[in-house]
């Protein structure tokens, strides 16, 4: 149930890995139905990107398999290289080697990504042509929105492990994103986590009904004893 | 027209105050119709929370009486304790003892809060299950959106005075929130401030009509004299 | 094709310049159809305001000629002075002499600005009465939303060159703003830039069609050679 | 052991309160010897200002009684008014009605404050003439350093309760500041807190000696049992 | 007393202007003795860079004539180009076309800059080899410190007008920097501003002596009347 | 030259790994002499922590082997657990499961860490007792300084891979830190990277001498040709 990661690979620029092992599609699609918060819980509360990653429009909820790209600041050349590696159901995860809010992605690249079957873009940088992206229904989670254009002159890499917004993403990992944020599930764990999430979801439906009927969490979770033991005092 | 505040109470953890004096309901409801900016003006420009407090979806405008809760970072145990103290028409105001953007509140707690009659949540931290909250129409003003889960292990307090996003909130105070932000009106001042706000609103309607007809503020407010006296020069 | 800028004017407070040379209306209106990112590209990637400038509601796309105003922190007196200088088709660009997020602009000023024919407000500070502005369809790009009121006691200037959100704006410049941000086109360049933008737009339509059909940017832009030359390696 | 706070006073501008009840000098001086972290612990972990408050030079450690001043953004007029209210051993605590980093305080005011017997300035804004202040040994804790000058045109208040950097400060409270930050002790609690801090300090000296000798906190605090009970597992 | 600025030049990349008109050396050196805050006041409170520009070590106070350089994010190629344009007494002012905190400057470039006679670097980005720079006494004011290296592949420009940290800098302008920040004086204004600053400094020495003797600013500036007129009330 | 990383381990809380493979001591000590920027270059420009990680006092330059600890927000219990795992020459690297600036580390823990042979602490959170740490010469690189105390109630883990300030750290990795920041060298790469860094350092000494003698980088690096080819134009 573990996997090996060749960390030196993280150091290398100018590499495109063509064959990656993707998380099982059915599990990814199932994870997508639960949304980011539930999957994050099912993962044991790890794998979440930083909360500065926000969707460019509200309401999207997607899941897909990661193809990763590492970009140089102010340079989106590798975006065209990663486009070729996209397979239907993938989500592109873009990391930058430095903090830079330029707009690395817009309407043309979105058109190309969609033609390749991409479901979304996750980028630890900026994006532009927001209205176009919203109109075409291509969701993006990003650190910034910026009309600032980029050049195409420096190599990065495609499908190497990347650190994106505080999370380690390996090519093929399952990515789940919605209005709450973005979570990463290692490919090898996707099936297991989907099972855990399903159980959690089943339990929550029941709890939700109880709470909606007016039952308090204090009683439903039997918290009154532990709270008293911890020293909680009620005063008037 | 003043009130006493036992400041040492702010220091105490592990306390739940059951009986609080709430601002008069009719005044709170009237204040809600004016919105945050007008009430803030009627207050004499005090009581506003920091502008980083933003609604999770646009368009909500609410007023209610504060029940307060002080949380430990990364721990939402007291959210269940405060739920029991909610009365219809209340707004929960949550402060954290440290800066932490975790998601302290989501669909289950929202279901419980709504069942108790809460109108909104104001939290100087993070919140999750945004889409669910939007769909059910439960507004939240927060510092962040984050899927990051919290634990339930440390005591805080309920219905003590708290500092939330730069504003002092005492249990029972009137809270008015809309797309512009969140303002706090001391319970004892609610009726008076509602009156001031109503007068201001009446005046503004008249002013708005004049400005819409093309009359300049320069003339409507008789500013040309003071501006010239202050040294304003027109050049070509 | 160059223009003169009397920089010492930037130093002067208490001045209102009444006659300014506005960018040609037809060019400005044409620029507005392209949006911020395309115009920024047509400008040679300059003139963009910092990405912290965000619209108060999504979907607006406007162009207009700048009337500028320099405000003192926490003081919006000059907003009434600038209102008189607005001509139909103008966009007010407001800079503050210090970083301050107060709400310098709300429903009354918006009513006055609209009566004068203003198309939008760009402000390197805060704004309030957001819902009112959205309902009346008056777009604002700002650094913050804040209900915090301002006073009217200190002089600034109107129609002097200002630095707003990292961009130099001279009165009469063309301002193009949409969901991607705000870009400034010098008045003397408006016609030429509109032409460049139109050509770019024509080209993009063609490219978009190709990319939508599945052709890769790698091939459309003939990038494979340069990438190989730069050392890109494909591995399995 | 409690005190009354007339909160409406927080609303009023244009007021100078001349007679305030200061924390007992001996207790304040004793608190100063412990430093910010120890006093914060002795307070029960409340009363701390936000960590963005930093000293303008390292190494200073002071204690004093608060005289408070509320300033308008970009306006330091009230700094001259508060100067007159300073008594030897006081620390001036300055809050601004909005977030603004201007330099409200420099060499002239520092000269005046020192002549009046002030020990330090705590300001939720900016300060300038840093080198001068360091050379004369007048410590300041601030949100920013900025050469930006301010005007003198709008009233604030002196010796009213203020919210400064997230902490409630009432005139006369004890203020303790060092490289770790700034903590506020209610005047009525100063003697008691000094006692608690002294006990804590005595205990810490003993603990420090044990830890220095190589004894682990795990053993000194008897943590091994609770850790095992909580589920901690050692693996190889 | 005005000067012309060819703004389209700001748009052009790939240009090195060799001959620039520098502010008069004697005036620049005189301005340096006053420091940033006094010069900013003498300028009429304009020309200041944003307060996020901080010195890499405390205590430096310098003045020089600006040679400007515009860099691409993550690329310091033009730093070598600007080195050749440095004349003894110059200060290099570096702007980046996007926000990027990479370390564009370190020990080797500093060695070269010093050999050319540069007095300091002002950079709206990052810098590294801080200890080396401090040991050799070469002061830098920057937005960040970062060991992150940059590439050398994209053209920028040298000696064009730049917007650096919110201030317009034209080649040849006087730059004054100390612990308080960085201020820009247009070359044509240097002599006049130095005169104003000298007068201000003379006045301040006198005022400082009065304040040190215990005279209050309230009396020295005759503020009591205006304060009373503005409504200031003293209470007990 | 690669190593395996069991990523699921990153998910587990409540684990202490006792036996880790440390980078070779001699290589680590050699790396420390080069400093952060040179090692980062020798690594191929990867492995750097975010630039918000700053030393609590200037001038420290250290190298050591990582023992890692994952903390819960507002809880430093595991700091005592990690203390036992410290061996002479280690550097403790502390990650928090959420963004929280509390002061997790102070004089007592520092005394214990030093007694165990620790050389430094790297923490993606806050630290306190700064003056004590500076006086005893124990360097810390942190995101914040805060007197805010923490509790001891929730398990984290020790010696699992952690993401700290944007960098992946595995137990045993070499950590190099100085005024420029913090860089991580995988244990298996330490010897090789030390060799590369030494070569780079040798070359730089030579380059530095040339630049100091007045030779330009333009000539030393033969940049004039490439710059001209890229289109650089010199104008007067």
């Amino acid at each position: 149930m573990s996997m090996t990661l060749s960390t030196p690979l993280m150091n290398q620029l100018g590499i495109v890995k063509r064959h990656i092992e993707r998380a099982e599609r059915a599990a990814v699609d199932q994870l997508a139905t639960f949304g980011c918060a539930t999957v994050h819980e099912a993962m044991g509360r790890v794998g979440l990107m930083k909360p500065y990653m926000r969707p460019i429009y509200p309401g999207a909820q997607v899941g897909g398999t990661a193809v990763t790209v590492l970009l140089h600041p102010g340079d989106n050349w590798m975006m065209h290289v990663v486009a070729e590696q996209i397979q239907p159901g993938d989500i592109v995860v873009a990391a930058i080697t430095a903090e830079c809010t330029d707009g690395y992605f817009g309407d043309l690249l979105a058109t190309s990504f969609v033609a390749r079957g991409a479901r979304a873009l996750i980028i630890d940088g900026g994006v532009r042509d927001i209205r176009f992206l919203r109109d075409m229904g291509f969701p993006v989670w990003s650190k910034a929105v910026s009309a600032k254009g980029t050049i195409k002159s420096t190599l990065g890499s495609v499908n190497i492990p990347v650190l994106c917004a505080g999370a380690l993403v390996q090519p093929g990992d399952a990515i789940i994103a919605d209005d709450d944020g973005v979570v990463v599930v290692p490919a090898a764990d996707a099936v297991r986590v989907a099972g855990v999430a399903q159980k959690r979801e089943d339990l929550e439906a029941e709890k939700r009904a109880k709470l909606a009927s007016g039952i308090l969490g204090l009683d439903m979770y039997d918290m009154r004893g532990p709270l008293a033991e911890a020293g909680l005092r009620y005063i008037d």
Side-chain angles (χ1 to χ4, degrees), chain A residues 154-190:
Chain A
T154 306
L155 291 190
S157 282
V158 167
N159 280 336
I160 63 168
V162 294
L163 291 176
C164 181
L168 175 65
V169 182
Q170 305 200 51
D173 283 353
I175 306 292
I176 309 302
D178 63 15
D179 288 352
D180 289 349
V182 185
V183 68
V184 185
V185 180
D189 296 344

Side-chain angles (χ1 to χ4, degrees), chain A residues 73-202:
Chain A
D75 193 311
N76 76 343
W77 206 11
M78 299 307 285
M79 280 298 204
H80 291 281
V81 178
V82 76
E84 191 176 27
Q85 305 307 317
I86 295 170
Q87 292 186 7
D90 282 342
I91 288 179
V92 177
V93 177
I96 326 284
T97 62
E99 305 205 22
C100 182
T101 60
D102 282 359
Y104 296 83
F105 183 87
D107 62 345
L108 290 184
L109 276 165
T111 302
S112 181
F113 277 29
V114 166
R116 304 291 300 177
R119 291 183 177 173
L121 169 70
I122 312 292
I123 181 165
D124 197 2
V127 62
R128 60 184 188 173
D129 295 330
I130 294 308
R131 190 155 78 159
F132 182 93
L133 299 173
R134 190 171 53 224
D135 288 350
M136 81 189 289
F138 185 78
V140 178
W141 283 256
S142 71
K143 184 162 83 174
V145 170
S146 171
K148 175 75 169 50
T150 51
I151 60 173
K152 295 174 201 344
S153 89
T154 306
L155 291 190
S157 282
V158 167
N159 280 336
I160 63 168
V162 294
L163 291 176
C164 181
L168 175 65
V169 182
Q170 305 200 51
D173 283 353
I175 306 292
I176 309 302
D178 63 15
D179 288 352
D180 289 349
V182 185
V183 68
V184 185
V185 180
D189 296 344
V191 173
R192 181 182 60 79
V193 172
V196 176
Q198 184 62 63
K199 272 184 209 133
R200 187 182 162 86
E201 193 76 355
D202 296 344

Side-chain angles (χ1 to χ4, degrees), chain A residues 6-15 70 156-158 160:
Chain A
S6 167
T7 49
L9 190 55
M10 295 183 75
N11 303 4
Q12 292 176 290
L13 293 182
I15 281 176
L70 183 63
S157 282
V158 167
I160 63 168

